[in-house]
Amino acid sequence: MSKKKIFVSFDVENDSAFKNIIVGKSQEQGAKFKVANWSMKPDTKNPKWLKEAKFKVTRCDVMVVMVGENTHRAPGVIKEVEFATNANMKIIQINATDGDAHSINDAGVAYDLKSDDLAELLN
């Protein structure tokens, strides 16, 4: 069985460390997923960025949104979620903070990174 390819969406300005958690999990022995490590500085007003981001998002099987304190206001994350939603992709939100975080509208339920097994959520 091939590994699921996931696109990790996160607030680049504040939450790069959260993405690294998922990358680390993908490198564990027996991981059933791989990360399409296509991080790019968001520029939602640039047509080239929009085209490239849409291409990269839609080439994956699942989107994982790492929800931090300000993720719900990050324009790049909002746009990436829009691309995934329009492509009917599965989207999983992971609350990567210890406290409450605002999940992204129209991106499904936010799970707690500490209590849920990511591999199970990706199925």
Side-chain angles (χ1 to χ4, degrees), residues 39-53:
S39 296
M40 50 190 172
K41 182 103 168 128
D43 183 359
T44 58
K45 299 199 185 319
N46 181 332
K48 183 178 177 185
W49 181 88
L50 291 167
K51 183 178 179 180
E52 187 175 347

Side-chain angles (χ1 to χ4, degrees), residues 10-86:
F10 60 99
D11 178 1
V12 173
E13 298 295 324
N14 299 298
D15 298 330
S16 294
F18 296 154
K19 180 202 71 157
N20 294 339
I21 293 169
I22 300 300
V23 171
K25 288 184 176 289
S26 74
Q27 295 171 345
E28 292 175 357
Q29 187 170 354
K32 295 182 172 128
F33 63 95
K34 61 183 175 182
V35 173
N37 204 356
W38 287 326
S39 296
M40 50 190 172
K41 182 103 168 128
D43 183 359
T44 58
K45 299 199 185 319
N46 181 332
K48 183 178 177 185
W49 181 88
L50 291 167
K51 183 178 179 180
E52 187 175 347
K54 182 178 181 181
F55 176 82
K56 290 177 178 181
V57 167
T58 59
R59 294 305 176 263
C60 294
D61 301 308
V62 178
M63 173 180 278
V64 174
V65 179
M66 297 304 292
V67 181
E69 195 172 312
N70 297 303
T71 308
H72 66 289
R73 290 182 272 213
V77 173
I78 293 166
K79 202 62 169 164
E80 290 165 351
V81 167
E82 179 184 316
F83 294 145
T85 300
N86 289 341

